[in-house]
Amino acid sequence: MKKNKIIYWVSTLIIVIVMLLGGVVDILQPDDFASNVSALGYPLYFFVFLGVCKVIGALLLVIPKVPLKLKELAYAGFLFDLVFAALSHIAIGETTEIAAPVLFLVVLFVSYRYWNKINNHQT
């Protein structure tokens, strides 16, 4: 059981840190942000909304006693974010940029699987 909790917390903290930092960058949009994301074709206000969702989702994963549905929603939101990040880069021909979203997608699956395991949820 202890091994399962360690795997869960390590994978979850990786996802939380990545999403929290990414969300803050999306919201604050530093000077080079617009030039880095312009090729994707999304308007900048989209990233503000996405950033707020990432921050909320990250908090939902680490706050204890969060209702099951909200935690599931956070996992689903991160799944969509990472899948569509990879697909967006593929669509514009930046296939080398899909490594990070795919790697974090694997970490997300590990976190979700072990969250279910230690909480005795059916998967």
Side-chain angles (χ1 to χ4, degrees), residues 15 19 49 53-54 56-61 66-81 108 112 115-116:
I15 291 298
M19 291 299 171
F49 173 73
C53 290
K54 286 179 182 180
I56 292 170
L59 294 174
L60 288 174
L61 290 188
V66 169
L68 175 69
K69 298 277 186 201
L70 289 178
K71 204 166 278 249
E72 292 271 352
L73 187 62
Y75 276 113
F78 291 155
L79 171 79
F80 288 124
D81 176 62
L108 181 72
Y112 181 73
W115 172 63
N116 280 303

Coordinates of all heavy atoms in Angstrom, one line a residue, residues 15 19 49 53-54 56-61 66-81 108 112 115-116:
I15 N 2.3 16.2 -12.2 CA 1.2 16.8 -13.0 C 0.7 18.2 -12.4 O 0.5 19.1 -13.1 CB 0.0 15.9 -13.1 CG1 0.3 14.7 -13.9 CG2 -1.3 16.5 -13.6 CD1 0.6 15.0 -15.4
M19 N 1.0 21.6 -14.5 CA -0.2 22.4 -14.8 C -0.3 23.7 -14.1 O -0.8 24.7 -14.7 CB -1.5 21.5 -14.5 CG -1.6 20.3 -15.4 SD -1.8 20.9 -17.1 CE -1.7 19.3 -18.0
F49 N -8.2 31.7 -20.3 CA -9.2 30.7 -19.8 C -8.6 29.4 -19.5 O -8.8 28.8 -18.5 CB -10.3 30.6 -20.8 CG -11.3 29.5 -20.5 CD1 -12.2 29.7 -19.5 CD2 -11.3 28.3 -21.2 CE1 -13.2 28.7 -19.2 CE2 -12.2 27.3 -20.9 CZ -13.2 27.5 -19.9
C53 N -8.3 27.3 -15.8 CA -8.8 25.9 -15.7 C -7.6 25.0 -15.2 O -7.9 24.1 -14.4 CB -9.3 25.4 -17.0 SG -10.9 26.2 -17.5
K54 N -6.4 25.3 -15.7 CA -5.3 24.5 -15.2 C -5.0 24.7 -13.7 O -4.7 23.7 -13.0 CB -4.0 24.8 -16.0 CG -4.0 24.3 -17.4 CD -2.7 24.7 -18.1 CE -2.6 24.3 -19.5 NZ -1.4 24.8 -20.2
I56 N -7.1 25.7 -11.4 CA -8.2 25.1 -10.6 C -8.1 23.6 -10.6 O -8.2 23.0 -9.6 CB -9.6 25.6 -11.2 CG1 -9.8 27.1 -10.9 CG2 -10.7 24.7 -10.6 CD1 -11.0 27.6 -11.7
G57 N -7.8 23.0 -11.7 CA -7.6 21.6 -11.8 C -6.5 21.1 -10.9 O -6.6 20.0 -10.3
A58 N -5.4 21.8 -11.0 CA -4.2 21.4 -10.2 C -4.6 21.4 -8.7 O -4.2 20.5 -7.9 CB -3.0 22.3 -10.4
L59 N -5.3 22.5 -8.3 CA -5.7 22.6 -6.9 C -6.7 21.4 -6.5 O -6.6 20.9 -5.4 CB -6.4 23.9 -6.6 CG -5.4 25.1 -6.7 CD1 -6.2 26.4 -6.5 CD2 -4.3 25.0 -5.7
L60 N -7.6 21.1 -7.4 CA -8.5 20.0 -7.1 C -7.8 18.7 -6.9 O -8.3 17.8 -6.1 CB -9.6 19.9 -8.3 CG -10.6 21.0 -8.4 CD1 -11.4 20.8 -9.7 CD2 -11.5 21.0 -7.2
L61 N -6.7 18.5 -7.6 CA -6.0 17.2 -7.4 C -5.3 17.1 -6.0 O -5.1 16.0 -5.5 CB -5.0 17.0 -8.5 CG -5.5 16.7 -9.9 CD1 -4.4 16.3 -10.8 CD2 -6.6 15.6 -9.9
V66 N -11.9 16.5 -1.8 CA -12.6 17.1 -2.9 C -13.6 16.0 -3.4 O -13.2 14.8 -3.5 CB -11.6 17.4 -4.1 CG1 -12.3 17.7 -5.4 CG2 -10.8 18.6 -3.6
P67 N -14.8 16.4 -3.8 CA -15.8 15.4 -4.3 C -15.2 14.6 -5.5 O -14.5 15.2 -6.3 CB -17.0 16.2 -4.7 CG -16.9 17.5 -3.8 CD -15.4 17.7 -3.7
L68 N -15.6 13.4 -5.5 CA -15.1 12.5 -6.6 C -15.3 13.0 -8.0 O -14.5 13.0 -8.8 CB -15.8 11.1 -6.4 CG -15.6 10.1 -7.5 CD1 -14.2 9.6 -7.4 CD2 -16.6 8.9 -7.4
K69 N -16.5 13.6 -8.2 CA -16.8 14.1 -9.6 C -15.9 15.3 -10.0 O -15.5 15.4 -11.1 CB -18.3 14.6 -9.6 CG -19.3 13.6 -9.4 CD -19.6 12.8 -10.6 CE -20.7 11.9 -10.4 NZ -20.8 10.8 -11.3
L70 N -15.5 16.1 -9.0 CA -14.6 17.3 -9.3 C -13.2 16.8 -9.6 O -12.6 17.3 -10.5 CB -14.6 18.3 -8.2 CG -15.9 19.1 -8.0 CD1 -15.8 20.0 -6.8 CD2 -16.2 19.9 -9.3
K71 N -12.8 15.8 -8.9 CA -11.5 15.2 -9.1 C -11.4 14.5 -10.5 O -10.5 14.7 -11.3 CB -11.0 14.3 -8.0 CG -9.5 14.1 -7.9 CD -9.1 13.4 -6.6 CE -9.1 14.4 -5.5 NZ -7.8 14.7 -5.0
E72 N -12.5 13.8 -10.8 CA -12.6 13.2 -12.1 C -12.6 14.2 -13.2 O -12.0 14.0 -14.3 CB -13.9 12.3 -12.2 CG -13.9 11.1 -11.3 CD -13.3 9.9 -12.0 OE1 -13.0 9.9 -13.2 OE2 -13.2 8.9 -11.3
L73 N -13.3 15.3 -13.0 CA -13.3 16.4 -14.0 C -12.0 17.0 -14.2 O -11.6 17.3 -15.3 CB -14.3 17.5 -13.5 CG -14.6 18.6 -14.5 CD1 -15.3 18.1 -15.7 CD2 -15.5 19.6 -13.8
A74 N -11.2 17.2 -13.1 CA -9.8 17.7 -13.3 C -9.0 16.7 -14.1 O -8.2 17.2 -15.0 CB -9.2 17.9 -11.9
Y75 N -9.0 15.5 -13.8 CA -8.3 14.5 -14.6 C -8.7 14.5 -16.1 O -7.9 14.5 -17.0 CB -8.5 13.1 -14.1 CG -7.5 12.7 -12.9 CD1 -8.0 12.5 -11.6 CD2 -6.2 12.6 -13.1 CE1 -7.2 12.2 -10.6 CE2 -5.3 12.3 -12.1 CZ -5.8 12.1 -10.8 OH -5.0 11.7 -9.8
A76 N -10.0 14.6 -16.3 CA -10.5 14.7 -17.7 C -10.1 15.9 -18.4 O -9.6 15.9 -19.6 CB -12.0 14.6 -17.7
G77 N -10.1 17.0 -17.7 CA -9.6 18.3 -18.3 C -8.2 18.3 -18.7 O -7.8 18.7 -19.8
F78 N -7.4 17.7 -17.8 CA -5.9 17.6 -18.1 C -5.7 16.6 -19.3 O -4.8 16.8 -20.1 CB -5.1 17.1 -16.9 CG -5.1 18.1 -15.8 CD1 -4.9 17.8 -14.5 CD2 -5.2 19.5 -16.1 CE1 -4.8 18.7 -13.5 CE2 -5.1 20.5 -15.1 CZ -4.9 20.1 -13.8
L79 N -6.5 15.5 -19.4 CA -6.4 14.6 -20.5 C -6.7 15.4 -21.8 O -5.9 15.3 -22.7 CB -7.4 13.5 -20.3 CG -7.6 12.6 -21.6 CD1 -6.5 11.6 -21.7 CD2 -8.9 11.9 -21.5
F80 N -7.8 16.2 -21.8 CA -8.1 16.9 -23.0 C -7.0 17.9 -23.4 O -6.6 18.1 -24.5 CB -9.4 17.6 -22.9 CG -10.6 16.7 -23.0 CD1 -11.5 16.7 -21.9 CD2 -10.8 15.8 -24.0 CE1 -12.6 15.8 -22.0 CE2 -11.9 15.0 -24.1 CZ -12.8 15.0 -23.1
D81 N -6.5 18.6 -22.3 CA -5.5 19.6 -22.6 C -4.2 19.0 -23.2 O -3.7 19.5 -24.2 CB -5.1 20.3 -21.2 CG -3.9 21.3 -21.4 OD1 -4.1 22.2 -22.1 OD2 -2.9 21.0 -20.8
L108 N 0.0 11.4 -16.2 CA -1.4 11.6 -15.8 C -2.1 10.3 -15.6 O -2.8 10.1 -14.7 CB -2.1 12.5 -16.8 CG -3.6 12.8 -16.5 CD1 -3.6 13.8 -15.3 CD2 -4.2 13.4 -17.7
Y112 N -3.8 8.9 -12.2 CA -5.2 8.5 -12.2 C -5.4 7.0 -11.7 O -6.2 6.7 -10.9 CB -5.9 8.7 -13.5 CG -7.3 8.4 -13.5 CD1 -8.2 9.2 -12.9 CD2 -7.8 7.3 -14.2 CE1 -9.6 8.9 -12.9 CE2 -9.1 7.0 -14.2 CZ -10.0 7.8 -13.6 OH -11.4 7.5 -13.6
W115 N -4.5 6.7 -8.1 CA -5.6 7.4 -7.2 C -6.7 6.4 -7.1 O -7.3 6.2 -6.0 CB -6.0 8.7 -7.9 CG -7.2 9.3 -7.3 CD1 -7.3 9.8 -6.0 CD2 -8.5 9.5 -7.8 NE1 -8.5 10.3 -5.7 CE2 -9.3 10.1 -6.9 CE3 -9.1 9.2 -9.1 CZ2 -10.6 10.4 -7.1 CZ3 -10.4 9.5 -9.3 CH2 -11.2 10.1 -8.3
N116 N -7.1 5.8 -8.2 CA -8.2 4.8 -8.1 C -7.8 3.6 -7.2 O -8.6 3.0 -6.5 CB -8.6 4.3 -9.5 CG -9.6 5.3 -10.1 OD1 -10.6 5.6 -9.6 ND2 -9.2 5.8 -11.3

